[in-house]
Amino acid sequence: MPGKLKVKIVAGRHLPVMDRASDLTDAFVEVKFGNTTFKTDVYLKSLNPQWNSEWFKFEVDDEDLQDEPLQITVLDHDTYSANDAIGKVYIDIDPLLYSEAATVISGWFPIYDTIHGIRGEINVVVKVDLFNDLNRFRQSSCGVKFFCTTSIPKCYRAVIIHGFVEELVVNEDPEYQWIDRIRTPRASNEARQRLISLMSGELQRKIGLKVLEMRGNAVVGYLQCFDLEGESGLVVRAIGTACTLDKLSSPAAFLPACNSPSKEMKEIPFNEDPNPNTHSSGPSTPLKNQTYSFSPSKSYSRQSSSSDTDLSLTPKTGMGSGSAGKEGGPFKALLRQQTQSALEQREFPFFTLTAFPPGFLVHVGGVVSARSVKLLDRIHNPDEPETRDAWWAEIRQEIKSHAKALGCHAVVGYSESTSICEEVCILSASGTAAVLNPRFLQDGTVEGCLEQRLEENLPTRCGFCHIPYDELNMPFPAHLTYCYNCRKQKVPDVLFTTIDLPTDATVIGKGCLIQARLCRLKKKAQAEANATAISNLLPFMEYEVHTQLMNKLKLKGMNALFGLRIQITVGENMLMGLASATGVYLAALPTPGGIQIAGKTPNDGSYEQHISHMQKKINDTIAKNKELYEINPPEISEEIIGSPIPEPRQRSRLLRSQSESSDEVTELDLSHGKKDAFVLEIDDTDAMEDVHSLLTDVPPPSGFYSCNTEIMPGINNWTSEIQMFTSVRVIRLSSLNLTNQALNKNFNDLCENLLKSLYFKLRSMIPCCLCHVNFTVSLPEDELIQVTVTAVAITFDKNQALQTTKTHVEKSLQRASTDNEELLQFPLELCSDSLPSHPLPPAKEHLESASSNSGIPAAQRDRCSSWIELIKLKAQTIRRGSIKTTVTVEKASPVGDGNFRNRPAPPCANSTVGVVKMTPLSFIPGAKITKYLGIINMFFIRETTSLREEGGVSGFLHAFIAEVFAMVRAHVAALGGNAVVSYIMKQCVFMENPNKNQAQCLINVSGDAVVFVRESDLEVVSTQQPTANCQSSGTEGEVTT
Amino acid sequence: MTSELDIFVGNTTLIDEDVYRLWLDGYSVTDAVALRVRSGILEQTGATAAVLQSDTMDHYRTFHMLERLLHAPPKLLHQLIFQIPPSRQALLIERYYAFDEAFVREVLGKKLSKGTKKDLDDISTKTGITLKSCRRQFDNFKRVFKVVEEMRGSLVDNIQQHFLLSDRLARDYAAIVFFANNRFETGKKKLQYLSFGDFAFCAELMIQNWTLGAVDSQMDDMDMDLDKEFLQDLKELKVLVADKDLLDLHKSLVCTALRGKLGVFSEMEANFKNLSRGLVNVAAKLTHNKDVRDLFVDLVEKFVEPCRSDHWPLSDVRFFLSQYAASVHSLDGFRHQTLWDRYMGTLRGCLLRLYHD
């Protein structure tokens, strides 16, 4: 019996009137967890009842603790008839299961009813006493931390990034065909909410188990999605990146300040908390031990590999991929053979992260994506979701092979999505093929060391742009030049990626949001025929989306896309494609050429004239855009030196064959050769339309910028005002004579108008930038297009340039960056992320000896498989080697645990209505995140049978989204937090039936609850803390001040 | 292509002050859009009419949702659905409870009942204020009235506490509630020259001096109802005009004191008895509800108008009233000095305020 859950119902307020006669309510509360239910007394005749209940205690398995939500139902007591439910609160108690997060959940929760929405609030206190569990074969994974953030969370240090974890669970949908049953809707919707809550708990637990198996203690970039497959069931699936994280507990720890590596090295593995004064000293929970257990196992010979994945890298470890040798070493080959098959089956070198510690990303190959059209069938055995698993495995395999074709061993910025219409489902996966920095390099052992030494001086500023693939055997025709930055390596002419712009990348000017929008009509069809039709359309759509992106990028005068997200949505009679990305000008890449228009009928004079007119317009636009986005690349005189590689030779090279599978459509992006991308041939009206549509995109009004990445390239002086918002639009197409053109225009207008509206609404924030602009398209019905946008507007100071960013980090980097101010643009990231690189030097020694033992050469040509292999091996070794230590430390844990939990609750827990910020970004400008309280993952259904009375569809959805925000904020506040970061609205499924005056909406949101401290406040705190810092690590003082 | 659904929800609720004003003024979305277009906002921002339409709709929807909360402002502070910074909350409340001078003059002193509500059509036509706005203002008056009606303690404080209004607005509401409760007549033609401010000023003086709350702070309705006992006692003042000797003595005292200091001395001397009779009779009649209602009519008829017809300057009126009130203390035969002060102190203040063109 590993846990005791304690719940206290304190009071209610603003309850609805349930008794018309008295205008009052006789409320009581049912508290349910698993199969146990407790009830409070009935508090008679009040809209603000004070129950002040005893502590209700549930003694439960930790497996249940993870799976089950706490259900609180508020009811109105009725002597004569059945009690009426007022509403419910679901509380996910997961945040209480790991010690570093929240210790208590206490606060006012909105009481939610699927029909009436929020009806008053209830004050609840929840605590968990976790007991020790010695069972190694347990089914629970309490203590594994989950983060939605797709980068290493700000107050943590990544010790190891283990890799990809995925899981899915399936179930029958309690209400497939909801609209038919809308007459008895409340019960079925509540069942659905409960089920999904349960399923996500289970999924999280299972993922957690996998993480524990990999010896990790956290999942970063956790993305959980629902597939509402209708009659064939409900799928909840999740992906994430398993990591071993170390908490940086004192503010001083953010400073990249440790000069005595040896000491650090000892401390970090054994005492994860470098500041014993603020926390109970010594090991406190079983989970943390798994972090420690690495150091004992260092003695194992194979441990050499452990540092392969070690994120903490010194600049010295930079590595040239092109020069890597092929000789793998016999031992290595043997190892690979032994583990290969198992790895290939289950393991994928994928990372859901989009931002990385400096030095982690060595090279970026380009976007890889795979799509597959499937016919849904009923899930026969929910316990064995093999079909769905197999589908995804196929796609991932595809991605993996694409990455390999690009000469990359890993995929970063990886994500998966689905689009379902009736029984057809499109599964999509995409990511960025990349070469990651896998190991430390020993001094002098590898040829090309000199080269790396040079790179060390310019730490990876341009390195990620260099091609990872063999230039003589390129997977696609591309135009290569020598890097405009270092002049040593080859770079492509354009770069598409799904990740955020690396913080150390040098960009020129500012970035901008670039979207490609596309509709394709398709015939209505059934089953197989439908799937085939869709499969046939997909490649054309991908191609066209890609062309549009490329053209728009050129039009902006930029040469790289970050955060690329291509969404293909399937409807009854059409397919929609929407690609969003942030365009930038990377200094390392060549200046993009213009766009040339070529007519097919050169004889016609007026036509010629038209063409030239068009050409002029395009040239003007490019010039204007360059000015707008401040793109003034320095004129490079050494053009001659960095002469392009002769093209004919590469053209003759073989293209890697793409995988062929009957029902799968895949495409390697970047499939454009230079010529294709730049010359637009106008041979019919369609093409004309395309060119026109290129020119219709209106730039945002002055003072506004927009991007879909975390931060806007070229803007750094953020001020603290942020405004997160969700905007939803649904348009009805006139069903008459729908053509592809008309459809495209409608869709284009829809998106453009939506953006215009946003700019207008947020005009009071100017100068500001819309960050993380996330568009989602769905086709709820035949003639309806729904676009949902979530983004955050952040103000920035136009005048205050770089003064504030002058930190010691800057100074240290100044040597390297003489000409590029851009390098210093994200001091916050630099500060927090650069720490991991410091404790490293000693690790190198370990490595050196270890790897020489094992005889594995440091660099491998075929990094891909060897690398994973080694991670895997390491995980296994550790499991075998460290059980003993783990157990002994665990015994001590209840004491430590107790200490931990006795700390006073965060100060903001009891305030009335504290402000809770929400942002899709992983940070809050002008503030430091001091604590992650746990993941927020909430699912709501709202329905109405009085649509008109609630203000029509707009009124209904407006109120519902406002309520969802409110519930998220309330939960965060109850955890003691004051913000949600990495917030995302993953689903917003809206259905209406105006004839019946009904509508229904499902919303799924998630994010990380955090505590942040304003930087201005933090300064005060840090001045009070120097003594503590000195004690924790005596060396820090030397450097900090 | 038609827009079926179009919403924008911010984590911090966006409040556009201009649109809020249009909404409060009762304009329809279409009218509001037209007015915004006329304000030149399209040129300033480069937006299109469609954008403006969508924006206006959004704000209207938000305000509509907020309205329920604005009916009980403390709810707005404690609710969780809309995250609004405190300064914005205050603005929302203050503006919602603000009223038009023209409107308040129409309903001041009227019973806040359904009957009056039916007349709002006429008031709307007469004042040019939209019916919707009239309704909001009327409902505000009524709501505040209902809430504070039965409460103990200071009227202004109660209003402030339950509606979170600024001091200034709370005082105005106190006056409105006070007038509505006592049903003072303010609509007569001869009272038209008076502004709401004039009445509010008088109401405040009366609340401070003439109500139960003025003597005992623990009574129910203390600030709403006039002190019945006091009104009863006012009959005693009649002796000032009924007793001829006393009246003559009073007059001579006043005339002696003011001789040479008043520009309109002769007029004053000639009219003294009439004026004094007027003022004292007003006091004596206040036992009847009907006469209480006509208080302002009487004051204007019996004092303001006679003085005005003789072109008394305001300074002379002030001199006169001070002397008129003070001289009573020298009347040996008069025993109701405190009563007189309580009555005359307030009346003097009111009359001075009412005395203008």
Side-chain angles (χ1 to χ4, degrees), chain A residues 13-14 121 723-732 746 757-758 760-761 763 913 915-918 953-955 957-959 961-962 965-966 969 990 992, chain B residues 1-14 16 36 41 45 47-48 51-52 54-55 58-59 61-62 65 75 77-83:
Chain A
R13 68 181 184 196
H14 306 148
E121 293 117 37
Q723 166 71 291
M724 189 281 297
F725 59 85
T726 292
S727 185
V728 184
R729 270 192 193 188
V730 177
I731 57 159
R732 185 176 290 280
N746 277 330
S757 266
L758 299 182
F760 180 76
K761 280 198 170 293
R763 66 193 185 283
V913 184
V915 173
V916 175
K917 300 216 171 204
M918 291 169 75
V953 286
S954 295
L957 195 59
H958 191 147
I961 292 178
F965 286 1
R969 288 193 301 257
F990 178 74
E992 57 168 324
Chain B
M1 185 180 87
T2 48
S3 216
E4 285 274 301
L5 185 158
D6 179 5
I7 57 157
F8 175 98
V9 191
N11 183 37
T12 305
T13 306
L14 280 184
D16 186 307
R36 292 182 83 187
I41 195 165
T45 59
T48 62
V51 165
L52 207 58
S54 138
D55 180 66
D58 245 332
H59 284 301
R61 215 167 24 239
T62 308
M65 285 190 267
K75 267 193 187 163
L77 261 65
H78 289 112
Q79 55 83 32
L80 303 175
I81 299 181
F82 302 97
Q83 186 159 272

Side-chain angles (χ1 to χ4, degrees), chain A residues 424-628:
Chain A
V424 174
C425 173
I426 302 181
L427 310 184
S428 311
S430 71
T432 304
V435 175
L436 305 180
N437 198 334
R439 70 186 67 226
F440 294 110
L441 283 180
Q442 298 96 317
D443 285 302
T445 44
V446 181
E447 28 142 10
C449 182
L450 203 71
E451 185 178 280
Q452 278 135 31
R453 274 295 162 85
L454 285 172
E455 272 193 10
E456 175 194 330
N457 287 336
L458 302 165
T460 63
R461 268 162 53 213
C462 57
F464 77 95
C465 305
H466 302 162
I467 53 159
Y469 34 87
D470 184 352
E471 73 175 83
L472 298 180
N473 190 15
M474 289 203 300
F476 48 81
H479 181 79
L480 299 181
T481 47
Y482 280 105
C483 174
Y484 275 54
N485 196 9
C486 65
R487 308 249 158 235
K488 299 271 180 325
Q489 305 275 333
K490 306 270 169 57
V491 293
D493 53 348
V494 283
L495 188 59
F496 284 14
T497 75
T498 60
I499 55 172
D500 275 342
L501 183 72
T503 48
D504 50 2
T506 313
V507 294
I508 290 171
K510 296 193 168 65
C512 73
L513 180 72
I514 291 180
Q515 284 194 321
R517 305 155 186 143
L518 185 67
C519 303
R520 277 289 175 117
L521 286 168
K522 104 181 156 52
K523 287 211 177 68
K524 282 193 187 181
Q526 292 300 308
E528 300 266 342
N530 196 16
T532 315
I534 294 168
S535 302
N536 291 341
L537 272 175
L538 279 180
F540 295 100
M541 295 203 54
E542 297 240 24
Y543 178 83
E544 240 174 276
V545 163
H546 192 258
T547 312
Q548 252 190 55
L549 279 176
M550 191 65 98
N551 288 335
K552 286 188 176 174
L553 184 66
K554 298 287 171 207
L555 208 59
K556 293 281 193 296
M558 298 174 185
N559 58 17
L561 287 182
F562 287 88
L564 176 63
R565 189 167 160 268
I566 302 176
Q567 197 199 354
I568 304 264
T569 310
V570 58
E572 285 275 278
N573 57 349
M574 60 177 115
L575 283 174
M576 310 280 276
L578 180 65
S580 308
T582 301
V584 294
Y585 186 107
L586 281 178
L589 264 47
T591 315
I595 297 177
Q596 292 227 320
I597 296 186
K600 277 278 157 122
T601 48
N603 296 331
D604 191 337
S606 68
Y607 189 70
E608 278 287 279
Q609 203 181 351
H610 182 70
I611 294 278
S612 69
H613 175 68
M614 203 82 117
Q615 180 71 56
K616 187 176 174 301
K617 242 169 118 178
I618 285 180
N619 293 344
D620 289 351
T621 312
I622 294 178
K624 216 168 65 198
N625 280 329
K626 279 191 173 170
E627 195 179 327
L628 185 64

Side-chain angles (χ1 to χ4, degrees), chain B residues 73-182:
Chain B
K75 267 193 187 163
L76 184 70
L77 261 65
H78 289 112
Q79 55 83 32
L80 303 175
I81 299 181
F82 302 97
Q83 186 159 272
I84 305 169
S87 62
R88 288 264 143 177
Q89 285 179 344
L91 177 127
L92 283 173
I93 296 167
E94 194 77 5
R95 293 263 176 88
Y96 189 79
Y97 282 90
F99 48 81
D100 290 304
E101 166 87 21
F103 176 79
V104 75
R105 276 300 277 111
E106 291 297 321
V107 295
L108 192 65
K110 281 191 184 144
K111 201 174 173 187
L112 299 173
S113 64
K114 288 215 173 83
T116 315
K117 199 169 179 181
K118 279 184 190 138
D119 301 337
L120 290 180
D121 282 352
D122 300 337
I123 295 177
S124 169
T125 327
K126 188 178 166 193
T127 58
I129 298 164
T130 61
L131 182 60
K132 227 176 147 197
S133 179
C134 289
R135 288 223 178 96
R136 172 182 60 83
Q137 298 181 39
F138 181 81
D139 289 343
N140 282 346
F141 295 166
K142 196 171 164 181
R143 197 175 316 109
V144 173
F145 184 92
K146 284 261 177 232
V147 168
V148 299
E149 196 178 17
E150 310 268 294
M151 266 178 203
R152 291 159 178 241
S154 146
L155 187 56
V156 176
D157 288 354
N158 285 337
I159 292 173
Q160 234 172 337
Q161 194 186 331
H162 287 88
F163 292 92
L164 309 172
L165 303 179
S166 67
D167 187 56
R168 170 96 216 88
L169 197 55
R171 278 166 201 279
D172 285 352
Y173 267 88
I176 291 163
V177 166
F178 183 72
F179 266 64
N181 190 51
N182 292 291

